[in-house]
Amino acid sequence: MQCPTCGYVQQPFDRVCPKCSALARTGCLPLPPAPTVAGSSPAGAAPQTAWKACPTCRLSVAYNCVVCPRCACRFGPYEISSPIPPTPQPTMFVPLSEISESIRSDEKRRGKRQVAVLACASVVLLVVAVGIANVMTARPRGSTHAATSGGGNGAGMFGAVGSDQIESRLAHESATTGGDLEISLAWNSLSDIDLQVTDPSGEEVSASHPRSESGGVQDVDANPTLLTPEGERRALMGQVPGGENTMALPEMLVDTDRSTGMPAGFPDLGLGGFPGRAPGHWTRQPIEHVFFARAPSGVYSVRVHCYSWREPDPTPLPFTVEIRSHGSIVSRKIGTIGPASFASDGAAPTEACRYNYH
């Protein structure tokens, strides 16, 4: 809408012409209606307002303006120059489509920044978590690093495990104790050493057959071997998995219950696919345990089997087999095993001892 007095293009919501108000404040009071320029309007059209240009700043103003509102230059009385189109005035309104596009662009930029920040934070947290896990579970290379709890049983850090330490490990694993017969196997390394007990009827209790008809149960398993799907298939068929089907053990999975406070037996990955298998986890203070709440009388054969070798050198590994009856030690055997293993070499179990229960 154009002001009929000065020709200023007003906004839709302007009730008073801002240019006329400015002219009134600067002393350029409105004069009688401006004359029209001859020949400037077609026949039948509204007359066109005459304009003049400021000689100093060239601002287009109405013919009756006395002082230039931009540079304060004073005009001669009613001096009229040739008609000049009024200077376009900037609009205060922006199309809705442009506003929506601007909002979408801002949201995209903000979303990209948030994604970048979250990605950086995730990477930092992952690095910190891995670093903490490595520090808490780090061990000197080539060391079995099994701590001892003292006691005069001849147990050293790199030797066989003492009776007091076996009792401590059984308590840590929440093993079932106090039955007619208990057989424990303990060693100090990450190698997978399996305990196999054959009852008087000839039935074996082991990781692959954790329960027998005579009541024997293996309730603690340690350092299970990680196998590929092909290795698992071969193991279930009783075949040698092969070294190419044996996977390396990640350090972050070792002693998680001691370093992170998780319960004993975490994580239990259900390895091996054997029904009823005891929960197994990886530790440098391993123990395996078989118990008979009501043991039949007869001769029990205890065998030790090196399933997979995880040592940095081929030095045979010391182990301890301990047999208890109603909490009392009735037999104890110390020996060595390795480096030949079943997973890589098809090594057979070694009989550690026999015990006649009656």
Side-chain angles (χ1 to χ4, degrees), residues 73-99:
C73 175
R74 300 188 72 83
F75 297 99
Y78 313 121
E79 180 181 6
I80 302 177
S81 62
S82 59
I84 303 176
T87 306
Q89 301 295 325
T91 179
M92 298 297 294
F93 293 91
V94 180
L96 183 60
S97 59
E98 295 185 11
I99 295 176

Side-chain angles (χ1 to χ4, degrees), residues 69-232:
R70 176 186 291 175
C71 64
C73 175
R74 300 188 72 83
F75 297 99
Y78 313 121
E79 180 181 6
I80 302 177
S81 62
S82 59
I84 303 176
T87 306
Q89 301 295 325
T91 179
M92 298 297 294
F93 293 91
V94 180
L96 183 60
S97 59
E98 295 185 11
I99 295 176
S100 302
E101 183 65 27
S102 176
I103 293 174
R104 285 194 294 269
S105 299
D106 291 342
E107 291 178 346
K108 288 181 180 179
R109 287 193 295 269
R110 193 159 48 246
K112 290 180 180 179
R113 286 196 296 268
Q114 291 176 352
V115 170
V117 170
L118 290 176
C120 293
S122 301
V123 171
V124 171
L125 290 177
L126 180 60
V127 171
V128 171
V130 172
I132 292 175
N134 289 338
V135 169
M136 298 183 70
T137 61
R139 298 290 188 272
R141 183 175 178 83
S143 168
T144 55
H145 213 82
T148 58
S149 59
N153 296 298
M157 180 174 293
F158 304 102
V161 182
S163 298
D164 51 356
Q165 197 173 2
I166 289 178
E167 188 172 355
S168 174
R169 295 184 187 183
L170 290 175
H172 179 76
E173 300 293 340
S174 301
T176 303
T177 58
D180 282 354
L181 202 61
E182 300 174 49
I183 301 95
S184 302
L185 168 65
W187 67 102
N188 291 327
S189 83
L190 287 173
S191 293
D192 183 8
I193 311 298
D194 287 338
L195 173 64
Q196 299 176 354
V197 179
T198 304
D199 64 13
S201 66
E203 188 176 5
E204 181 185 276
V205 181
S206 62
S208 59
H209 186 70
R211 295 178 181 272
S212 67
E213 294 293 334
S214 60
V217 177
Q218 180 174 358
D219 60 342
V220 180
D221 187 27
N223 297 347
T225 301
L226 296 172
L227 298 174
T228 63
E230 175 61 21
E232 290 285 357

